[in-house]
């Protein structure tokens, strides 16, 4: 434990405050001016078969986003066929008539980035960003599965994907509060309404899905006249039109899908429900159905939700979390959908607080806000934040949030690709009166109240046994995205049956383009990473700068050599508590004032840590850069560590620890690192960073301030900047705020990595979590490697073993056996001792066989089943081609610059990657993995229902230790 140094810290803090003299009074840029900078010019045309095509030109990188949106979602599912839209999304990645096999095999050949597919209530979309040289390949693939899929759908693929989706459902249901969505829908929406069931569907309906069902879903909904294709990036209409005509022009129109127009559900009276779950604290929900996203009132309700619980300075935050301290977290949001949206607010009750009293206070705050509305300043802050977010989003052409998405959403939902402009104009013109009127109109209707209390869940109803491993298939989606289960209602109804029967046009494609040969990607120029300039402030702080001008945004990250590994061993959690308090006030601004100042500027300041670093970062609008830097410096140099804020944040951190103890991933990530590294190693700490609850409970303000003085000091700092400015302009601004930052007189401590790492023992730790819908497997071993070593060959080999979508482990457990929604292995990369980890959520009845299958894959890889020529070619070429899209965003450039500094690499390291990949061969990859990996010494930590899985694990012939999950709230 660091000894308190109150007098020294008080003196140095006073000196810093005097030296800094922040200029918080700078006037922020008006919202109207920010809104004017949001512009996505586009051209649009329609093919003879009805396909709508939108093209946006952005020449900043040689890449093109290909995003296709179908006007079909779970709202179109008739009774008894819930989950079909999402299930079919999975089928679409299983190969088409002229692109057999896994869709991601082809995307890897093209060097695609930002690729996925998602299903929601109103739509299904598929997207990828490819090097321009791979554009024809992407258009070939999307057109082939639009017009040439029927003969590619097989019973084998369907059976496999049913198992995958059922495991996706189990994985979501297994989380704390994971069953809330189903109850929310039940309370708000009648079952016959299109929005009356979740997108993931029911186990029984999924199990009953037939091949004929899937083929009919395709012919009824996947015609070109029911789709919108967006191309955004290094392309214009002159280039795009002939390519789109070539690949999509021969596809026949599909049936016309009737438009749904269901009524907006309104409750007759207040509904109240209660459910138990293994959660850290009670959560109190309030739900209303409100108008759809095209209704003028929706914009006002969205502002209302953000003021209520979406800002850091929201009403609920200020009253319940900061002032009265009866809640540890609050949220409010308006989730927009076409036929009706959901206004949702919830409060996480402080452990030990009177739940009924908090519930009554919650309702009183809501009633007062609905009646009296927001202030003009609150509305302005919401508008500024939203405009800043939109501007930042303009930097990316594809992905989940880029410009292609913005254009497609507007076209599909509002028949206007530029609908985002109308939204921003409404936001800029918003007034407190409009917001109050909308709330009085819609939120005075009866509310649905749901209370989730700590306790034991009812027995999990898994009415499908899951795959037994007999099915095989050849497709996958990202194991990290759960497109089917979302914290919002989803839809089906009998109305959908009428829509399905509305047309009967043929989907037989016309003969045109030659599809016998897949168009491989052409040559791609070597990566041109932005030039990184370096400088040094007068006190020795190093500065690295890269210029990016696509959007008027500047990103700054101040890195400190600290991180979770710097926590005192008798006070684990100090770092997390300290960085949480950084955002809760300075010596001149309290927590509310600090939050409001950021919101007025459209600035986001965040503090985070990993094992090695503590990073305080900022994203700022260029016109507001000076005032934003003032805030950043104030947060870093002059934290208040206010006693009242400390007690509040302490409870929040303890509640997060309780949440981790109730969640499979949290249990695993807290327990495995000390087993791998030993308790004395700096990395032998919970990987979540939240620390030891006993230590967090007793930490004092002086201890936290002393930790800040020791680890958050100029000697440990480096500054990284990326954005629309120059080093010449930036350096004086940084010098004024950080260059005169004096050191203190505390002796500089260092992390001690000399502790011996325990030898791997090849054992299983089974953490018993009764009634778990799934088992979570987390395994690992510490490698004889440092993060500063050149690990590219090992990481590339791991891509083939378990690190990539197409890896052996994932394809085996997910696609061949259907036991998991997604499994992976990874080389975690701290600066010092590197661990190899395996992560696999699997269905309960296949837990033991899943461990055996993973071991078999590892043994095969380091044995006589090393890298194949096909795997080498796919991985090396794909990784090289992906570089074109990897650094499109300034945030990615900033991340790379920080990693290069951490690992001691040259500033142009990214430019060397293509050549390193080209030089790799199978022997190099096999050798790297064989030298690193020893499957016999892995430590396996498995979280699940011991009564159901212990006997399975005994067949593995490893020592097994059964532990009870640490008690969380609601446990006896």
């Amino acid at each position: 434990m660091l000894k308190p140094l109150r007098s020294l810290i008080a003196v140095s803090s006073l000196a810093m405050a005097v030296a800094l003299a922040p200029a918080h009074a700078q006037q922020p840029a008006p919202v109207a001016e920010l809104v004017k900078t949001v512009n996505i010019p586009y051209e649009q045309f329609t093919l003879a078969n009805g396909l709508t095509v939108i093209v946006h030109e952005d020449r900043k990188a040689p890449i093109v986003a290909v995003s296709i949106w179908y006007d079909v979602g779970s709202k179109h599912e008739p009774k008894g066929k819930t989950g079909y839209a999402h299930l079919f999304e999975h089928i679409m990645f299983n190969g088409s008539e002229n692109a057999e096999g896994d869709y991601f095999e082809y995307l890897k050949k093209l060097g695609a980035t930002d690729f996925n597919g998602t299903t929601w209530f109103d739509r299904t979309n598929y997207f990828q960003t490819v090097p321009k040289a791979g554009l024809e390949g992407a258009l070939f693939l999307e057109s082939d599965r639009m017009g040439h899929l029927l003969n590619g759908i097989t019973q084998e693929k369907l059976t496999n994907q049913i198992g995958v989706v059922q495991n996706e459902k189990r994985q979501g249901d297994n989380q704390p509060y994971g069953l809330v969505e189903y109850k929310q829908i039940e309370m708000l929406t009648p079952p016959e309404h299109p929005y009356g069931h979740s997108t993931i569907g029911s186990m029984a309906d999924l199990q009953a899905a037939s091949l004929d069902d899937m083929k009919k879903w395709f012919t009824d909904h996947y015609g070109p006249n029911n789709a919108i294709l967006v191309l955004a990036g290094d392309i214009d209409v002159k280039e795009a039109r002939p390519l789109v005509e070539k690949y999509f022009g021969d596809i026949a129109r599909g049936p016309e899908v009737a438009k749904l127009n269901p009524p907006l559900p309104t409750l007759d009276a207040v509904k109240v429900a209660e459910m138990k779950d293994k959660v850290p604290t009670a959560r109190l929900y309030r739900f209303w159905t409100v108008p759809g996203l095209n209704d003028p009132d929706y914009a006002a309700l969205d502002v209302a939700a953000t003021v209520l619980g979406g800002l850091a300075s929201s009403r609920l935050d200020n009253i319940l979390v900061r002032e009265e301290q009866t809640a540890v977290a609050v949220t409010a949001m308006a989730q927009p959908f076409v036929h009706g949206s959901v206004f949702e607010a919830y409060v996480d009750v402080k452990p030990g607080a009177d739940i009924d009293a908090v519930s009554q206070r919650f309702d009183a705050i809501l009633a007062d806000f609905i009646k009296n509305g927001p202030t003009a300043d609150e509305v302005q802050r919401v508008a500024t934040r939203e405009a800043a977010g939109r501007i930042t989003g303009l930097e990316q052409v594809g992905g989940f949030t880029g410009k292609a998405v913005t254009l497609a959403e507007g076209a599909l939902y509002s028949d206007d690709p530029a609908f985002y402009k109308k939204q921003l104009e409404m936001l800029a013109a918003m007034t407190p009166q409009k917001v109050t009127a909308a709330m009085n109109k819609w939120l005075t209707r009866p509310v649905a109240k749901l209370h989730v209390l700590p306790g034991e869940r009812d027995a999990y109803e898994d009415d499908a046994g899951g795959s037994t491993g007999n099915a095989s298939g050849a497709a996958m989606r990202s194991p990290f995205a759960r497109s089917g289960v979302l914290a919002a209602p989803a839809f089906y109804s009998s109305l959908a049956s009428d829509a399905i029967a509305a047309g009967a046009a043929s989907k037989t494609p016309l003969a045109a383009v030659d599809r016998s040969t897949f168009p491989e990607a052409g040559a791609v120029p070597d990566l041109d990473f932005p030039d990184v300039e370096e400088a040094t402030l007068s006190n020795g702080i190093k500065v690295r700068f890269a210029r990016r001008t696509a959007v008027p945004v500047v990103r700054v990250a101040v890195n400190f050599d600290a991180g979770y590994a710097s926590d005192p061993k008798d006070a684990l959690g100090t770092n997390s508590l300290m960085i949480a308090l950084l955002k809760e006030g300075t010596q001149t601004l309290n927590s509310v004032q600090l939050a409001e100042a950021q919101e007025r500027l459209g600035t986001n300041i965040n503090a985070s840590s990993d094992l090695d670093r503590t990073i305080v970062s900022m994203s700022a609008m260029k016109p507001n850069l000076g005032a934003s830097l003032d805030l950043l410096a104030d947060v870093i140099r002059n934290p208040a560590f206010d006693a009242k804020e400390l007690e509040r944040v302490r409870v929040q951190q303890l509640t997060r620890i309780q949440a981790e103890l109730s969640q499979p991933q949290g249990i695993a990530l807290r327990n495995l690192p000390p087993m791998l590294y030993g308790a004395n190693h700096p990395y032998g700490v919970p990987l979540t960073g939240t620390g030891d609850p006993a230590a967090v409970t007793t930490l004092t303000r002086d201890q936290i301030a002393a930790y800040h003085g020791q680890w958050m000091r100029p000697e440990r700092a480096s500054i990284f900047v990326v954005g629309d400015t120059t080093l010449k302009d930036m350096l004086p601004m940084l010098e004024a705020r950080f260059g005169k930052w004096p050191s203190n007189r505390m002796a500089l401590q260092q992390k001690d990595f000399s502790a011996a790492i325990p030898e791997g023992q090849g054992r299983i730790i089974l953490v018993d979590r009764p009634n778990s819908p799934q088992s979570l497997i987390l395994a690992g071993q510490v490698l004889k490697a440092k993060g500063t070593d050149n690990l590219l060959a090992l990481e590339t080999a791991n891509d083939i073993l378990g690190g990539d979508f197409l890896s052996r482990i994932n394809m085996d457990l997910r696609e061949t056996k259907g036991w998991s929604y997604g499994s992976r292995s990874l080389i975690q990369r701290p600066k010092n001792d590197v661990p190899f980890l395996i992560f696999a959520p699997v269905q309960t009845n296949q837990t033991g066989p899943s461990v055996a299958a993973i071991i078999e894959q590892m043994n095969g890889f380091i044995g006589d089943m090393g890298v194949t020529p096909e795997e080498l070619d796919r991985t090396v070429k794909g990784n090289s081609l992906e570089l074109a899209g990897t650094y499109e965003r300034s945030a990615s450039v900033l991340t790379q610059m920080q990693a290069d500094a951490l690992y001691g690499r040259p500033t142009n390291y990214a430019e060397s990657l293509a050549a390193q990949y080209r030089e790799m061969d199978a022997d190099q990859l096999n050798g790297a993995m064989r030298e690193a990996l020893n499957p016999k010494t892995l430590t396996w930590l498995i979280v699940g229902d011991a009564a159901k899985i212990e006997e399975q694990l005994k067949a593995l012939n490893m020592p097994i230790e059964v532990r009870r999950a640490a008690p969380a709230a609601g446990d006896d």
Side-chain angles (χ1 to χ4, degrees):
M1 178 69 67
L2 295 174
K3 296 180 179 179
L5 297 169
R6 179 183 294 273
S7 58
L8 172 61
I9 291 169
V11 171
S12 71
S13 294
L14 177 61
M16 285 190 286
V18 171
L20 189 57
H24 302 307
Q26 176 185 333
Q27 290 299 310
V31 176
E33 293 302 314
L34 293 177
V35 166
K36 289 179 182 178
T37 68
V38 182
N39 186 38
I40 312 174
Y42 69 91
E43 294 186 69
Q44 180 174 330
F45 60 91
T46 303
L47 299 190
N49 59 14
L51 177 65
T52 298
V53 184
I54 300 169
V55 182
H56 164 67
E57 182 179 357
D58 180 339
R59 302 288 186 178
K60 73 174 179 295
I63 55 175
V64 180
V66 180
S67 187
I68 190 160
W69 292 55
Y70 291 92
D71 189 5
V72 57
S74 56
K75 70 181 180 184
H76 293 100
E77 295 165 350
K79 186 176 182 179
K81 299 185 186 297
T82 64
Y84 279 27
H86 174 235
L87 176 59
F88 191 81
E89 174 218 316
H90 280 239
I91 296 294
M92 284 279 278
F93 287 94
N94 273 242
S96 52
E97 294 170 10
N98 303 291
E100 297 179 358
D102 191 285
Y103 192 84
F104 287 91
E105 289 271 4
Y106 297 94
L107 289 185
K108 189 73 174 178
K109 292 180 181 179
L110 298 176
T113 55
D114 292 328
F115 49 83
N116 213 316
T118 71
T119 306
W120 215 352
F121 319 129
D122 296 312
R123 55 97 178 119
T124 306
N125 66 358
Y126 306 88
F127 52 90
Q128 54 265 302
T129 299
V130 295
K132 187 172 183 179
L135 176 58
E136 285 208 51
L139 295 177
F140 176 98
L141 291 171
E142 287 291 7
S143 63
D144 208 63
R145 62 180 176 182
M146 176 190 284
H148 304 263
L149 187 75
L150 276 181
N151 293 328
I153 305 174
T154 67
Q155 184 61 53
E156 184 181 40
K157 293 176 181 178
L158 173 59
T159 301
N160 171 261
Q161 290 306 312
I162 288 172
V164 171
V165 173
Q166 287 175 336
N167 277 304
E168 180 180 357
K169 177 177 168 64
R170 294 184 185 104
Q171 186 170 322
D173 293 352
N174 201 25
Q175 305 307 310
Y177 310 105
L179 303 179
V180 165
E181 182 198 13
Y182 309 127
K183 193 66 177 180
Q184 176 192 24
I185 293 169
E186 175 189 323
M187 295 179 74
L188 283 178
T189 318
E192 67 274 8
H193 192 277
Y195 291 9
H197 70 278
S198 72
T199 300
I200 198 71
S202 77
M203 286 287 196
D205 287 355
L206 290 167
Q207 192 70 24
S210 71
L211 194 60
D212 286 342
D213 287 331
M214 291 297 98
K215 289 186 175 183
K216 181 170 174 54
W217 190 264
F218 173 69
T219 56
D220 284 344
H221 297 103
Y222 274 77
N225 48 307
N226 202 42
I228 295 167
L229 171 65
V230 181
L231 303 177
D234 190 12
I235 193 169
D236 57 28
V237 169
K238 184 178 179 181
E239 300 169 276
R241 186 187 291 270
L243 290 175
V244 176
E245 289 277 7
K246 175 181 177 181
Y247 288 105
F248 291 87
D250 68 335
I251 302 173
R253 293 179 69 92
E256 297 299 324
V257 179
K259 297 296 184 183
L260 302 180
N261 189 26
L264 181 69
T266 295
L267 302 182
D268 295 328
V270 172
K271 282 189 178 181
V272 180
E274 184 179 290
M275 60 191 295
K276 297 287 185 68
D277 200 352
K278 293 181 72 66
V279 295
T281 187
R283 179 173 288 179
L284 315 179
Y285 289 92
R286 302 293 184 264
F287 307 120
W288 288 267
T289 54
V290 294
L293 58 88
N294 291 303
D295 190 291
D297 282 343
Y298 174 77
L301 291 166
D302 187 36
V303 171
T306 307
V307 171
L308 178 65
L311 296 172
S313 65
S314 75
R315 291 288 183 93
L316 292 174
D317 269 297
N318 288 347
I319 298 172
L320 294 180
V321 179
R322 290 192 174 95
E323 295 173 13
E324 299 174 6
Q325 297 195 11
T326 56
V328 292
V330 297
T331 296
M333 70 188 82
Q335 295 208 50
F337 308 114
V338 173
H339 306 296
S341 304
V342 175
F343 191 104
E344 171 182 325
Y346 65 79
V347 170
D348 287 349
V349 179
K350 179 181 178 180
D354 186 321
I355 294 173
D356 290 337
V358 175
S359 177
Q360 292 174 19
R361 183 66 174 128
F362 185 19
D363 288 334
I365 294 168
L366 284 168
D368 177 75
F369 183 58
I370 292 167
K371 178 181 178 181
N372 297 308
T375 66
D377 184 55
E378 287 173 321
V379 172
Q380 184 80 357
R381 298 201 315 268
V382 171
T384 302
R385 193 188 75 158
E386 176 65 19
R390 290 280 190 166
I391 291 168
T392 303
L394 291 178
E395 191 176 22
Q396 187 177 16
V397 292
F400 285 95
T401 59
K403 291 186 280 188
V405 170
T406 301
L407 295 172
E409 284 183 332
L412 183 62
Y413 299 154
S414 309
D415 197 27
D416 180 7
F419 186 66
Y420 69 93
K421 287 194 171 186
K422 295 178 182 176
Q423 292 174 308
L424 288 173
E425 288 166 1
M426 285 189 286
L427 195 61
M430 192 60 63
T431 65
Q433 293 74 23
K434 292 178 182 178
V435 175
T436 306
M439 288 196 295
N440 275 281
K441 181 178 179 181
W442 296 105
L443 303 187
T444 54
R445 295 150 62 237
V447 63
K449 301 181 180 182
L450 173 62
H451 292 184
V452 183
L453 307 179
E456 202 63 42
R457 280 184 176 183
D458 294 335
Y460 183 68
E461 296 182 8
D462 188 341
D463 47 5
S467 174
T468 60
N470 297 322
S472 64
M476 72 171 296
R477 293 172 48 259
S478 165
F480 314 113
R482 186 182 183 202
S483 59
V485 175
L486 303 158
F491 322 146
Y492 90 61
S493 88
S494 60
L495 296 175
S497 298
D498 298 331
I500 287 174
S506 169
K507 273 300 296 292
T508 304
L510 306 173
V513 65
D514 177 11
R515 293 184 177 272
S516 62
T517 304
F518 176 70
E520 301 280 351
V524 175
D526 283 347
L527 174 69
D528 183 15
F529 192 77
D531 293 336
V532 177
E533 301 176 73
E534 299 182 85
T536 304
L537 302 185
S538 58
N539 60 356
I541 295 178
K542 301 294 185 182
V543 177
R544 291 189 180 186
F545 171 83
R547 181 169 168 80
R548 294 297 290 265
T549 60
V551 292
V553 174
V554 178
R555 297 180 184 272
V556 180
V558 185
N559 287 18
F560 294 89
D561 178 13
Y564 303 141
S566 66
D567 266 345
K569 283 299 180 182
D570 59 351
L572 297 182
T574 304
N575 179 275
S576 284
L577 199 56
M578 184 274 295
I579 63 174
L581 283 167
L582 289 181
K583 298 176 286 185
E584 299 300 338
T586 71
Q587 294 176 24
T588 55
L589 297 172
N590 65 30
S591 61
V592 175
Q593 292 169 333
L594 179 59
E596 289 179 348
Q598 292 178 69
E599 291 156 4
R600 291 189 186 100
L601 296 168
T603 298
N604 287 312
I605 295 175
N606 290 298
S608 62
S609 285
D610 56 24
L611 283 171
D612 298 302
R613 300 169 296 179
T614 296
I615 303 172
V616 186
S617 59
M618 177 192 82
S619 173
M621 297 294 99
K622 182 179 180 180
N624 298 334
L625 180 57
S628 299
L629 284 170
D630 287 338
L631 291 177
L632 178 68
D634 203 20
V635 164
I636 292 172
R637 296 179 55 181
N638 303 318
F641 297 134
D642 178 81
K644 184 178 179 181
E645 298 291 357
L646 169 59
E647 294 313 308
R648 174 174 67 80
V649 172
R650 186 198 312 277
V651 172
Q652 290 176 326
Q653 186 156 324
L654 290 170
T655 305
R656 283 198 299 274
I657 293 173
Q658 284 294 310
E660 293 164 5
L661 295 174
S662 67
Q663 180 190 49
Q665 291 93 323
I667 294 170
L669 293 174
R670 288 185 64 82
N671 284 279
L672 185 62
M675 297 178 191
L676 297 182
Y677 286 100
N680 293 325
H681 193 282
Y683 293 166
V685 298
L687 203 54
T688 59
T690 49
D692 175 9
V696 173
T697 300
T698 59
L699 278 168
T700 67
R701 190 261 180 205
D702 285 352
Q703 289 170 325
I704 294 168
Y707 175 89
H708 177 271
Q710 173 60 242
W711 294 97
M712 305 288 285
R713 53 199 285 182
E715 300 99 313
R716 300 187 191 273
S718 301
I719 300 177
F720 302 83
V721 183
V722 179
D724 186 16
T725 182
T726 65
L727 181 60
K728 180 181 178 181
D729 291 338
M730 197 73 198
L731 207 54
M733 302 174 79
L734 294 174
E735 177 67 30
R737 293 159 177 85
F738 295 102
K740 303 299 188 292
W741 183 11
S743 182
N744 55 51
R745 297 193 294 271
M746 299 170 71
L748 199 67
Q749 296 182 1
Q750 301 295 337
K751 302 166 210 171
D752 182 6
F753 286 93
S754 64
I757 296 173
E759 292 293 328
Q761 299 175 356
R763 59 174 176 152
I764 296 173
I765 308 298
L766 172 55
V767 181
D768 184 22
R769 187 174 183 267
N771 204 25
S772 288
Q774 269 191 331
S775 300
L776 176 67
I777 299 168
L778 184 65
Q781 65 180 194
V782 181
L783 307 180
K784 296 185 185 305
K786 306 290 185 184
T788 52
D789 297 338
N790 186 347
L791 301 180
L792 191 63
L794 179 61
E795 291 170 329
T796 305
N798 184 65
D799 286 345
I800 296 169
L801 174 63
D804 188 76
F805 297 148
L806 299 168
S807 68
R808 295 183 184 183
I809 289 174
N810 189 72
M811 293 298 284
D812 184 34
L813 290 185
R814 176 183 164 122
E815 299 306 319
T816 300
K817 295 181 169 67
W819 295 345
S820 175
Y821 176 48
S823 304
R824 65 177 304 199
S825 62
L826 65 150
I827 312 294
Q828 194 192 14
R829 193 91 184 254
K831 183 177 181 179
N832 286 279
D833 302 300
V834 170
F836 170 85
L837 300 174
I838 294 168
F839 174 85
V842 300
Q843 64 190 59
T844 299
N845 63 353
Q846 300 296 340
T847 304
S850 294
V851 175
I854 294 169
I855 293 172
E856 181 181 5
Q857 291 293 343
M858 290 189 292
N859 284 333
F861 197 101
I862 63 174
D864 59 2
M865 298 175 63
V867 176
T868 67
E870 294 77 14
E871 289 172 329
L872 178 67
D873 183 70
R874 177 190 74 208
T875 304
V876 169
K877 284 186 178 178
N879 288 357
S880 299
L881 291 169
E882 287 170 12
L883 294 172
T886 299
Y887 302 105
E888 176 194 7
R889 296 180 300 125
S890 59
S892 301
V893 173
L894 185 64
T895 298
Q896 181 67 39
M897 290 166 60
Q898 293 172 89
D900 291 341
L902 178 67
Y903 302 134
R905 301 186 301 218
T907 58
N908 64 346
Y909 171 78
E911 294 182 343
S912 74
L913 288 171
Q916 291 189 64
Y917 285 128
R918 285 194 293 265
E919 293 171 1
M920 288 180 180
D921 58 28
D923 288 343
Q924 182 184 6
L925 301 190
N926 289 333
M929 186 60 75
R930 287 167 184 160
E931 182 180 351
L933 180 61
N934 183 357
K936 294 180 180 179
T937 62
L938 260 70
T939 297
W940 298 83
L941 192 148
I942 301 173
V943 183
D945 192 331
K948 297 178 181 178
I949 65 177
E950 185 175 3
E951 286 301 315
Q952 301 175 44
L953 299 176
K954 289 179 179 179
L956 299 170
N957 296 317
M958 282 189 278
I960 301 174
E961 176 187 344
V962 181
R963 299 181 182 179
R964 176 86 162 87
D971 288 349
D972 295 330

